[in-house]
Amino acid sequence: MAGILVLEQELFPEDAWTPEMFAAEFAQPPSRRLYLVAEEGNALIGYAGMMFTGGSQADVVTLAVHQDRWGRGTGTALLTALIGEADKRGYEEVLLEVRKDNPRARQLYLRHGFTEIGIRRGYYQPSGVDAVVMRKGLR
Ligand SMILES: CC(C)(COP(=O)(O)OP(=O)(O)OC[C@H]1O[C@@H](n2cnc3c(N)ncnc32)[C@H](O)[C@@H]1OP(=O)(O)O)[C@@H](O)C(=O)NCCC(=O)NCCS
């Protein structure tokens, strides 16, 4: 948790989740959430989370990699693991929101077969930045 909070502040300075938000997420049962971390030695270099709705839809709720480690496939590895788990659990589609002003992340998702299906105005708070909604069908 300590390592995640440091990265969260660095990578999402405008919309960082609070310790209470992470604690509430980690308290969810494994049937509802999956959180993964990427480590290098003992250091945490990334994390990602997925919400399983219980219906047909799984959502990528967060994905983050330490800036010094960008471009080495860590984000891809985390995203691929989440999608693989949704597939294994029989989910039909994966959805996510990404900041409109985040071309790097949008590219990563496009390369992994997501398509942009809509905009949520002012989704990110307190910044008020729009979210792009992206979807990938699994079957
Ligand atoms: C978006 C994010 C998670 C991507 O993580 P990453 O570890 O850099 O992702 P990858 O390395 O898998 O892929 C990114 C790039 O590296 C390239 N790459 C992948 N594996 C590589 C390798 N082994 N060697 C060299 N380059 C590689 C990819 O082709 C990709 O290329 P691009 O520069 O054209 O985009 C990361 O930039 C991040 O944490 N950003 C801030 C937080 C954020 O925006 N999260 C998403 C919220 S929705």
Side-chain angles (χ1 to χ4, degrees):
M1 173 74 107
I4 286 178
L5 290 172
V6 171
L7 270 189
E8 178 79 8
Q9 279 295 336
E10 281 175 19
L11 294 168
F12 306 104
E14 294 188 338
D15 324 288
W17 285 11
T18 62
E20 292 74 23
M21 289 163 83
F22 277 110
E25 282 292 293
F26 298 161
Q28 296 289 320
S31 60
R32 292 287 175 177
R33 295 289 190 285
L34 174 67
Y35 277 85
L36 302 172
V37 295
E39 293 176 313
E40 207 173 77
N42 287 327
L44 180 104
I45 60 161
Y47 54 92
M50 177 166 266
M51 174 169 72
F52 299 98
T53 57
S56 60
Q57 176 186 332
D59 293 272
V60 176
V61 290
T62 189
L63 174 64
V65 174
H66 193 296
Q67 194 157 1
D68 294 350
R69 301 293 186 278
W70 286 5
R72 298 180 182 184
T74 307
T76 292
L78 288 167
L79 181 62
T80 305
L82 290 181
I83 295 168
E85 185 62 24
D87 189 28
K88 207 166 85 184
R89 295 187 187 198
Y91 279 82
E92 287 171 17
E93 57 180 355
V94 176
L95 277 94
L96 58 83
E97 280 96 15
V98 55
R99 277 174 68 120
K100 203 175 167 188
D101 61 359
N102 190 347
R104 184 178 176 88
R106 286 170 72 177
Q107 272 307 319
L108 179 74
Y109 299 132
L110 287 172
R111 269 201 310 276
H112 285 268
F114 285 83
T115 52
E116 301 190 341
I117 58 168
I119 298 280
R120 290 195 208 283
R121 302 261 170 237
Y123 178 82
Y124 292 94
Q125 292 301 328
S127 63
V129 172
D130 294 347
V132 179
V133 183
M134 300 184 75
R135 175 188 181 276
K136 178 182 169 75
L138 297 181
R139 35 202 102 244

